[in-house]
Amino acid sequence: MRRLPLVPLLPLQLALLVAAGAPEAPVSAPQSLVWGPGLRAGVVLPVRYFYLQAVNSEGQNLTRSPPGQTLFKVVIKSLSPKELVRIHIPKPLDRNDGTFLMRYRMYETVSEGLKIEVLYGDEHVAQSPYILKGPVYHEYCECPEEDPQAWQKTLSCPAKEPQIAKDFSSFPSINLQQMLNEVPKRFGDERGAIVHYTILSNLIYRRSLGKYTDFKMFSDEILLSLARKVLLPDLEFYVNLGDWPLEHRKVNETPGPLPIISWCGSLDSRDVILPTYDITHSTLEAMRGVTNDLLSIQGNTGPSWINKTEKAFFRGRDSREERLQLVQLSKDNPQLLDAGITGYFFFQEKEKELGKAKLIGFFDFFKENDEEAKKIAKEGQLTARDLLQPHRLYCYYYRVLQKYAERQTSKPEIRDGMELVPQPDDSASICQCHRKRPLREEL
């Protein structure tokens, strides 16, 4: 038999082999790691979720996706065969760094509990199966925890929120009468976007001030969702639904600044900041057809960095004149910026001049000195994964309301013109609570 001669590798071939690296050791199901709030029965969220870190047979964390189609899967069943429960369990989301995001949405409450199996092929992963002893409530079950401290501990809420402390540093006390006298006059004109809320006995009342208050649906839904999960403090406050902060008075001015709660802030304003309405809404409506689902985004971060388009990108409605200026910059510098207005409302006369852009799918936004931008993107991604988890959002909202209530100097009231904000139609009043029911049924 003729032996073929050995051909030495050229330097370039050798370099490519070294760069590619040796194949990673296969995934070890028992050594892989599983953790997250979706493995705790007491963490009630619209979509429950947890994480998985793939670990190889040598005990090393994988830093990229295992080759081929993922063999990870999740199976969730009621502990009692007599309890039928609808649970939507999508495929694991590959975050392309060796970790996976597992999600499930419940449509009924289970009394006995759940059994969660995390599998790699037919093999159990980490400590699988995980047992969640009941009751396990679904999103629309009105069973608020009456001990807020216990609720925050269950959610692993952080002990401190620096932004909240900073926002309230301007308000050692909150004069409700000053708010009632000034807010409607200063911010409630016909172009206003203010909603006046009162929370009493875990019931939520509101009245609108101004013409542009349609976005109150977003503040309504997060307050209602919170009230279904935990007993809220009694308080009275104003929410700014606009795209810019309102209060620009300095702390040493007379009269002083008012604590307007807003979805946005700036270095020269005194508004108390909450997570934006779209982040909040995408958390509440996750896995219900919303494209900007904060959890789904983690598995749809676009092409690799080297294949991204080298220009800035913007799409949005005409809510600020600066956005129109951005479109004009795009026309003048198309090689640097792609900006377009998708809907005209405030500046309809500009549509003919600037044109109307087509809507772009949210995940397509991820198709941006370059090395610095890459570093910023990676650090931003890691920060967002930590801060923008749904359970952290609930912690933040509650802590703002709690801090506000602590500093309010008089008792809140239900004012003339206020109406009770009703729970959504699919709120499950039939679910059985194992905690004491709130006062809602007695009023």
Side-chain angles (χ1 to χ4, degrees):
M1 180 177 179
R2 183 181 179 185
R3 184 183 296 247
L4 293 175
L6 293 175
V7 179
L9 289 173
L10 297 175
L12 177 59
Q13 293 173 312
L14 183 60
L16 290 174
L17 286 175
V18 172
E24 290 194 83
V27 172
S28 169
Q31 295 189 77
S32 294
L33 307 173
V34 174
W35 75 97
L39 300 176
R40 301 196 296 272
V43 180
V44 184
L45 297 169
V47 169
R48 296 170 183 254
Y49 61 96
F50 56 94
Y51 302 97
L52 186 154
Q53 168 68 64
V55 178
N56 64 26
S57 56
E58 297 176 356
Q60 300 170 327
N61 289 356
L62 270 65
T63 57
R64 60 179 186 265
S65 304
Q69 187 174 1
T70 178
L71 298 178
F72 289 112
K73 62 181 178 180
V74 176
V75 178
I76 304 178
K77 297 178 181 178
S78 171
L79 285 177
S80 171
K82 297 180 180 180
E83 279 194 290
L84 298 179
V85 57
R86 291 178 300 147
I87 304 177
H88 177 39
I89 314 170
K91 293 180 179 180
L93 274 178
D94 186 350
R95 304 203 294 178
N96 301 308
D97 60 0
T99 66
F100 294 81
L101 177 61
M102 315 298 197
R103 303 163 294 156
Y104 63 100
R105 186 167 191 136
M106 299 177 58
Y107 292 94
E108 281 100 13
T109 291
V110 290
S111 299
E112 295 297 322
L114 294 175
K115 178 182 179 181
I116 300 179
E117 295 180 303
V118 185
L119 304 170
Y120 184 72
D122 295 325
E123 192 175 6
H124 283 278
V125 175
Q127 304 302 312
S128 174
Y130 296 89
I131 304 300
L132 278 61
K133 293 184 178 180
V136 183
Y137 299 121
H138 69 92
E139 164 61 15
Y140 293 105
C141 189
E142 289 189 68
C143 297
E145 171 57 61
E146 295 188 349
D147 183 350
Q149 295 301 320
W151 179 79
Q152 292 179 79
K153 184 177 180 180
T154 298
L155 263 67
S156 299
C157 294
K160 298 180 180 180
E161 288 284 6
Q163 185 63 52
I164 294 177
K166 179 180 179 181
D167 288 349
F168 278 97
S169 64
S170 301
F171 309 105
S173 64
I174 296 175
N175 187 325
L176 180 55
Q177 192 58 51
Q178 181 190 10
M179 301 282 289
L180 294 171
N181 292 339
E182 292 193 35
V183 172
K185 296 176 183 178
R186 292 181 60 198
F187 308 120
D189 59 20
E190 66 175 17
R191 290 188 64 82
I194 293 286
V195 177
H196 183 184
Y197 282 100
T198 291
I199 300 178
L200 282 177
S201 301
N202 222 42
L203 299 178
I204 300 164
Y205 302 84
R206 59 143 159 80
R207 64 176 177 178
S208 300
L209 302 176
K211 184 177 179 180
Y212 302 108
T213 59
D214 289 348
F215 275 27
K216 63 181 177 291
M217 59 178 285
F218 300 115
S219 49
D220 286 352
E221 65 181 4
I222 182 59
L223 292 174
L224 291 172
S225 184
L226 265 173
R228 292 193 294 266
K229 296 169 179 58
V230 63
L231 194 63
L232 299 178
D234 292 344
L235 72 159
E236 189 171 349
F237 57 100
Y238 292 86
V239 172
N240 166 31
L241 307 179
D243 288 341
W244 51 89
L246 295 178
E247 184 54 275
H248 293 274
R249 286 178 181 170
K250 306 299 182 184
V251 175
N252 57 0
E253 288 186 28
T254 302
L258 301 177
I260 304 295
I261 295 178
S262 295
W263 288 322
C264 54
S266 66
L267 295 177
D268 64 348
S269 63
R270 297 292 178 271
D271 296 45
V272 176
I273 303 170
L274 285 177
T276 62
Y277 72 90
D278 48 355
I279 288 176
T280 303
H281 184 64
S282 69
T283 295
L284 295 170
E285 292 295 300
M287 288 172 50
R288 293 183 70 173
V290 178
T291 57
N292 58 334
D293 176 347
L294 277 181
L295 294 176
S296 295
I297 288 171
Q298 297 189 34
N300 295 273
T301 54
S304 59
W305 187 265
I306 196 173
N307 293 322
K308 289 182 183 289
T309 302
E310 294 184 1
K311 65 171 64 176
F313 183 82
F314 170 80
R315 290 292 186 274
R317 61 192 183 96
D318 64 335
S319 58
R320 293 281 284 178
E321 188 172 5
E322 288 83 352
R323 294 185 172 189
L324 305 182
Q325 298 169 359
L326 198 65
V327 175
Q328 188 60 55
L329 283 174
S330 177
K331 289 180 176 292
D332 297 338
N333 302 275
Q335 74 282 6
L336 299 177
L337 173 65
D338 179 357
I341 300 297
T342 56
Y344 287 86
F345 181 77
F346 296 100
F347 302 93
Q348 297 181 21
E349 70 280 2
K350 289 289 187 177
E351 181 174 352
K352 185 175 181 180
E353 176 186 347
L354 299 176
K356 185 176 180 180
K358 293 183 179 180
L359 290 170
I360 298 294
F362 189 76
F363 298 142
D364 291 334
F365 277 69
F366 305 121
K367 295 180 185 175
E368 15 199 59
N369 121 38
D370 189 67
E371 282 303 311
E372 183 67 15
K374 182 178 181 180
K375 178 182 177 182
I376 292 172
K378 185 61 179 179
E379 291 179 351
Q381 182 187 66
L382 295 176
T383 300
R385 284 183 178 182
D386 179 42
L387 296 181
L388 299 184
Q389 297 182 78
H391 76 281
R392 287 290 302 273
L393 180 138
Y394 279 93
C395 292
Y396 198 95
Y397 264 91
Y398 181 84
R399 193 68 58 82
V400 168
L401 299 180
Q402 179 189 46
K403 184 69 69 175
Y404 192 104
E406 290 173 354
R407 302 193 177 197
Q408 200 161 265
T409 57
S410 55
K411 293 183 178 180
E413 297 181 18
I414 302 171
R415 308 292 171 177
D416 291 341
M418 282 187 165
E419 60 182 358
L420 178 68
V421 181
Q423 290 284 355
D425 293 338
D426 46 0
S427 178
S429 58
I430 61 172
C431 70
Q432 295 181 347
C433 295
H434 292 249
R435 298 189 284 259
K436 183 180 178 181
R437 295 285 291 175
L439 294 178
R440 180 183 300 274
E441 293 182 338
E442 302 171 13
L443 296 177

